[in-house]
Amino acid sequence: MRLLRPLRVSLLCAVFGLLGAPADVPAQSQDHQYSTADIEVGSRLYSRQCALCHGPSGDQVTGVNLRLGQFRRFLSDDELRGVITSGVPDAGMPGFRLPPAELDGLVAFIRAGFDVEGTAVRIGDAVEGRLVFEGIGGCTACHRVHGVGPTTAPDLSDIGAIRQPSALQRALLDPTGTMLPINRPIRIVTDDGRTIRGRRLNEDTYTVQVIAEGDRLISLDKADIREYELADTSPMPSVEGRLTGEEIAHLVAYLLSLRGR
Amino acid sequence: MKTIFRRALPLLALLSTAELHGQVSFERILAASAEPQSWLTYNGSYDSKRFSRLDQVTPANVHALEIKWMLQNQVFGAWQSSPLVVDGVMYLTQRPNDVMAVDPRTGRVFWLYRHTPSPDARVCCGANNRGLAMLGETLFMGTLDARLIAIDSRTGKALWNVEVGDVNEAYSITMAPLVVKDKVLVGVGGGEYGIRGFVSAYDAVTGEEEWRFHTIPGPGEPGHETWSGDDWMHGGAPVWITGSYDPELDLTYWGVGNPGPDWNPDQRPGDNLYSDAVIALDPDTGELRWHFQFTPNDGYDYDAVQVPVLADMEWEGEQRKLMLWANRNGFFYVLDRETGEFLLGEAFVRVNWASGLDENGRPIQTPQPEGMPTWPGNQGGTNWYPPSFSPRTELFYFSAWENYATIYEKEEVEYEPGQLFLGGGFDVVAPVPGAPTIGIGRRGPINNWTNEVGNGAVIALDPRTGEARWKFEQFDVSDSGILTTASDLLFTGGREGYFHALDARTGELLWRASLGGQIVMAPITYTVDGEQYISVISGHALVTFGLRD
């Protein structure tokens, strides 16, 4: 099992090595821009005060995904400050009486999608990025956007809403190292001799759900499976060496523009 | 009208019979395992084996279980409650501090009592409540705002309501109380808020406090030397899981939680007694008879809040009174419960915070370098999920988290009353940076964290060797407790929402039901009119099974 921290460090080195000094681009957010310093304050505070219940990815309380900005109801920044300060007693969330700078930092960290490194990612032009995506990048060979393209790889129609700039950049440079375990390509041979190749969507003790060749959603009982293989490496090639730093920046911009419909 | 009334007559006769039995005396709790039709305490009996003598449902007919009724709750969050069943009535709690009396044959509700906790209540890990205790005709519930409430089991009205701990200092109660003789014993949560933990006893009739045992010794008391300076005043050591009782020894046993701040042991040098220990207390006076500490100077949040399981077994040629304990720190222990003597300790999952245990059971600690993973991770090799021991198989069963690790960070933190007092943080080790991981409770129907961050297993241990006789692995981790029966069935659940029946001897899966919501309590069993029922809570539904007619 690879480890969180050492990997993060080595990837950052790779990113800076490739793209040179980070451009000073503010983190993307709905209606606010936050400084890296604010976000870092919030990040430290989050891991100490909030992660116990909300989880490191902010998604461990049902109906709430802090990283993606999903709450049980719409919250303005001020309302978010209010919730942090007063808590949600019915749900067992205590109030946190924080100094204003820390409260701002926490809101900044949440609004920046937990992306401390986000301000360091170079973001180009989305229109140019689409040309790269559909052209030299070769992305449409596997990815689908807004109902067009194959389902071999994850559908990217809302990837800009669920991934932060730095995560997108990392995924382009190191597809294997960033492939979420659930997305691993899968090969199954059933007891009756059928071979199913596809991508894993969900799994539990007794069953597995895949999207298989031919865009078929298939759910199998493990009791009926003879062979089960998950790939450790991503079939996606790295863009490193294939695309220029500028092209990668455009691609990131295009991916960020995909926010669902 | 007349006809209806006539039909009702035999029912009334039945009710008056039930009335005669409607008192849960101390003697009745002592003999709880002799009346398997009931479920009289959180763990079913004072020895906390969660073993039922019922045997109508067997390996041969378990496939014929069907849902008899469901009760849906209307509140948000994990439902960890363990019901009681007494003389044809089920009593259970739901978040945050509701109590219901339910017909255990149909699931229809007789009454609902609601206590609204103070808005100042604070708990680390959700507005949980795990259940009730009962004595006579009175139910007892601890609350999120650290009160103990006595409720009339007939009407659902409060009889008394007393403060156990100061809500403004983040004392809370999530455990089911334990009744011993004429007293109600209860411990407090707040180990993430710098409380000073304790167990207290209250007069069941008046609610008057009879004694209090602080789980952190004060100045002049033995064990105080394991703390430095003022650390003892806010060193945690909560008690948030129901204890056990041995009537022959007249001793109660309690698992004590983590020291505070959780993740910075450097800030509280010393062993930090009685954090992460089991304590044996006299039920009449609260006097400490013995203790055994599992994790001295803990930096990993390894609360020893497991249910003490009391079993009498032959041990090296001699009949002994044992205590069986799979600890959050990844080791399984056997202790002599008369004296607290350490008899055996074996790791049941990968452990690297200690290289082993010495001859007294003290861990040889091997803290990992900064940024490197510690096994088991923060939620532990197991946790508060009630285990089971079957006297028929002489195996000890519990839910374990395997291949699960976290990376800890520590920092100095200043104590502020009522505020979190953690001293650092942690990340669950995941194969990919930023990938979803497991935490407290499952958050949705898609398992996108996968077993690459840890998997669940029911482990059947032979207490004589500490070795697994069999294992039943699950893809996701499990917070479910275990029930075993005299027909050698084992019932358990997990976060995936499956309810499994296993062969307690072999671990073979005999039957399963997909209930769809996480199971974060231990199933119970009882009978009504001679029919065996099995109740389990999955997600927001209490589901009760019985054999097909």
Side-chain angles (χ1 to χ4, degrees):
Chain A
M1 204 180 268
R2 252 167 303 142
L3 307 178
L4 205 64
R5 201 137 315 189
L7 188 67
R8 213 180 248 172
V9 171
S10 64
L11 276 169
L12 266 182
C13 297
V15 170
F16 291 152
L18 185 80
L19 299 174
D24 188 22
V25 181
Q28 307 293 298
S29 67
Q30 274 117 24
D31 56 355
H32 289 271
Q33 292 186 340
Y34 303 101
S35 72
T36 303
D38 282 343
I39 298 168
E40 280 174 352
V41 165
S43 168
R44 279 195 299 276
L45 199 63
Y46 181 85
S47 71
R48 279 150 187 70
Q49 303 272 303
C50 317
L52 189 68
C53 293
H54 283 281
S57 311
D59 58 352
Q60 283 176 5
V61 169
T62 313
V64 175
N65 190 319
L66 297 178
R67 190 173 61 82
L68 303 187
Q70 293 165 356
F71 304 96
R72 289 204 198 104
R73 61 183 178 86
F74 173 79
L75 293 176
S76 68
D77 284 7
D78 280 345
E79 287 169 328
L80 189 53
R81 284 188 185 86
V83 169
I84 296 168
T85 307
S86 310
V88 186
D90 285 355
M93 175 173 161
F96 295 84
R97 283 162 233 145
L98 300 171
E102 292 191 350
L103 197 54
D104 287 349
L106 207 47
V107 172
F109 178 65
I110 292 168
R111 293 301 191 203
F114 289 22
D115 195 5
V116 177
E117 296 140 19
T119 53
V121 173
R122 198 170 145 201
I123 298 163
D125 178 78
V127 176
E128 293 288 329
R130 181 172 179 175
L131 296 175
V132 177
F133 187 85
E134 291 171 353
I136 186 174
C139 311
T140 50
C142 299
H143 286 287
R144 186 177 179 95
V145 172
H146 301 323
V148 179
T151 60
T152 318
D155 188 316
L156 300 177
S157 299
D158 59 355
I159 197 71
I162 60 173
R163 290 280 184 284
Q164 298 307 316
S166 60
L168 291 171
Q169 193 184 52
R170 275 199 300 267
L172 292 168
L173 294 167
D174 182 13
T176 290
T178 54
M179 177 170 59
L180 296 186
I182 189 61
N183 291 332
R184 296 198 187 288
I186 195 168
R187 189 185 74 90
I188 288 169
V189 182
T190 61
D191 281 345
D192 56 13
R194 279 185 305 153
T195 298
I196 294 160
R197 283 190 180 78
R199 178 165 49 83
R200 180 170 62 170
L201 298 177
N202 197 6
E203 183 170 346
D204 63 49
T205 303
Y206 303 109
T207 73
V208 59
Q209 289 71 41
V210 299
I211 185 156
E213 287 166 338
D215 302 344
R216 289 169 305 146
L217 293 171
I218 299 178
S219 182
L220 292 156
D221 286 349
K222 290 181 176 176
D224 301 330
I225 289 175
R226 189 201 304 161
E227 287 175 45
Y228 178 100
E229 263 179 33
L230 288 170
D232 286 336
T233 52
S234 169
M236 172 170 152
S238 168
V239 297
E240 196 171 352
R242 292 198 301 124
L243 299 181
T244 65
E246 202 174 4
E247 285 165 337
I248 295 169
H250 291 328
L251 203 45
V252 170
Y254 172 61
L255 294 171
L256 282 173
S257 76
L258 301 175
R259 306 186 71 85
R261 281 181 174 170
Chain B
M1 198 62 202
K2 220 173 189 176
T3 323
I4 291 168
F5 186 68
R6 253 186 228 141
R7 273 188 194 158
L9 277 177
L11 269 176
L12 286 172
L14 269 178
L15 281 175
S16 58
T17 319
E19 226 164 285
L20 293 174
H21 298 284
Q23 299 244 351
V24 180
S25 64
F26 172 58
E27 289 69 30
R28 214 177 141 187
I29 306 174
L30 285 174
S33 34
E35 56 165 302
Q37 66 273 23
S38 309
W39 196 270
L40 295 181
T41 70
Y42 175 73
N43 286 312
S45 58
Y46 276 139
D47 58 14
S48 303
K49 290 192 179 90
R50 285 188 179 264
F51 169 82
S52 168
R53 291 190 198 173
L54 295 181
D55 60 1
Q56 257 178 38
V57 181
T58 67
N61 66 15
V62 67
H63 64 272
L65 283 178
E66 64 176 13
I67 294 176
K68 296 294 184 185
W69 56 265
M70 290 171 71
L71 173 67
Q72 304 267 357
N73 79 12
Q74 309 296 322
V75 296
F76 161 81
W79 198 359
Q80 299 185 343
S81 188
S82 188
L84 304 181
V85 179
V86 181
D87 300 326
V89 182
M90 175 183 282
Y91 302 97
L92 83 155
T93 59
Q94 67 178 11
R95 283 182 169 215
N97 286 128
D98 293 356
V99 184
M100 283 181 283
V102 176
D103 175 357
R105 202 177 43 82
T106 62
R108 309 318 294 185
V109 177
F110 294 109
W111 53 253
L112 185 146
Y113 168 81
R114 177 160 287 169
H115 167 77
T116 303
S118 154
D120 295 326
R122 21 195 80 212
V123 282
C124 71
C125 311
N128 296 308
N129 182 282
R130 300 189 192 85
L132 301 158
M134 190 170 181
L135 183 67
E137 293 176 4
T138 308
L139 297 160
F140 304 94
M141 170 175 64
T143 70
L144 287 181
D145 49 354
R147 305 191 70 85
L148 182 63
I149 304 179
I151 299 152
D152 185 331
S153 67
R154 300 300 170 85
T155 61
K157 301 294 178 193
L159 298 169
W160 49 259
N161 176 332
V162 298
E163 182 187 276
V164 174
D166 184 352
V167 69
N168 295 310
E169 293 184 7
Y171 285 85
S172 59
I173 301 174
T174 56
M175 61 174 270
L178 179 74
V179 161
V180 179
K181 301 178 193 175
D182 57 352
K183 295 183 181 59
V184 187
L185 279 57
V186 72
V188 287
E192 277 63 52
Y193 292 90
I195 62 156
R196 181 184 176 211
F198 58 82
V199 179
S200 283
Y202 296 84
D203 182 295
V205 176
T206 64
E208 199 177 318
E209 186 178 309
E210 300 277 331
W211 55 257
R212 176 165 293 191
F213 174 81
H214 281 283
T215 52
I216 302 181
E221 293 177 318
H224 184 71
E225 70 287 354
T226 64
W227 296 85
S228 71
D230 290 343
D231 295 350
W232 63 277
M233 296 174 77
H234 39 73
V239 178
W240 50 274
I241 286 294
T242 310
S244 304
Y245 174 61
D246 182 327
E248 280 178 32
L249 299 173
D250 199 22
L251 278 182
T252 63
Y253 304 98
W254 302 89
V256 185
N258 63 278
D262 295 45
W263 298 300
N264 191 1
D266 304 346
Q267 200 181 322
R268 41 174 169 76
D271 280 359
N272 307 143
L273 288 173
Y274 298 98
S275 69
D276 295 351
V278 51
I279 50 175
L281 301 182
D282 183 312
D284 299 323
T285 63
E287 187 194 338
L288 178 74
R289 293 282 185 77
W290 59 258
H291 76 275
F292 176 86
Q293 190 178 37
F294 301 98
T295 314
N297 193 232
D298 172 18
Y300 313 101
D301 199 12
Y302 290 153
D303 295 73
V305 290
Q306 294 71 47
V307 173
V309 176
L310 315 184
D312 295 342
M313 288 176 73
E314 197 182 288
W315 188 264
E316 293 170 355
E318 209 187 318
Q319 193 68 17
R320 294 193 66 167
K321 288 167 95 60
L322 304 178
M323 179 180 289
L324 311 179
W325 200 297
N327 196 282
R328 187 164 167 175
N329 71 12
F331 287 95
F332 168 76
Y333 298 82
V334 181
L335 305 178
D336 180 316
R337 71 174 185 272
E338 285 191 68
T339 60
E341 183 192 347
F342 168 77
L343 300 177
L344 179 141
E346 292 289 340
F348 58 84
V349 287
R350 180 173 178 186
V351 167
N352 72 350
W353 67 273
S355 59
L357 305 176
D358 72 13
E359 70 276 12
N360 298 314
R362 188 183 173 87
I364 302 148
Q365 295 216 30
T366 49
Q368 299 304 297
E370 202 183 327
M372 295 304 286
T374 297
W375 277 272
N378 191 73
Q379 293 302 311
T382 185
N383 203 326
W384 59 271
Y385 337 122
S388 178
F389 174 82
S390 163
R392 288 173 51 88
T393 63
E394 296 202 321
L395 294 175
F396 178 81
Y397 306 96
F398 64 103
S399 284
W401 288 25
E402 298 185 309
N403 306 310
Y404 159 71
T406 57
I407 297 167
Y408 291 92
E409 288 169 53
K410 52 188 165 189
E411 68 169 15
E412 284 283 315
V413 59
E414 202 174 316
Y415 171 73
E416 280 180 64
Q419 300 298 307
L420 279 174
F421 187 55
L422 298 171
F426 69 90
D427 285 325
V428 175
V429 175
V432 169
T437 60
I438 42 180
I440 302 170
R442 175 139 169 168
R443 60 186 176 278
I446 296 174
N447 183 340
N448 58 6
W449 51 98
T450 80
N451 57 350
E452 293 188 36
V453 289
N455 65 275
V458 177
I459 298 182
L461 274 191
D462 181 347
R464 292 190 180 85
T465 61
E467 281 170 17
R469 186 71 65 77
W470 55 257
K471 257 190 213 186
F472 175 79
E473 291 197 349
Q474 290 164 262
F475 189 75
D476 198 359
V477 295
S478 169
D479 321 272
S480 173
I482 313 272
L483 166 72
T484 55
T485 71
S487 52
D488 294 338
L489 284 175
L490 181 153
F491 291 95
T492 192
R495 288 193 179 184
E496 294 171 341
Y498 287 113
F499 184 43
H500 327 263
L502 309 182
D503 183 321
R505 294 194 179 272
T506 63
E508 184 196 347
L509 176 74
L510 299 173
W511 171 84
R512 73 172 195 257
S514 184
L515 303 182
Q518 61 176 344
I519 295 169
V520 289
M521 49 77 77
I524 64 153
T525 187
Y526 60 91
T527 64
V528 180
D529 298 337
E531 300 281 322
Q532 186 180 355
Y533 294 88
I534 297 152
S535 290
V536 62
I537 295 173
S538 165
H540 294 265
L542 169 62
V543 186
T544 294
F545 290 89
L547 290 171
R548 222 167 279 143
D549 295 330

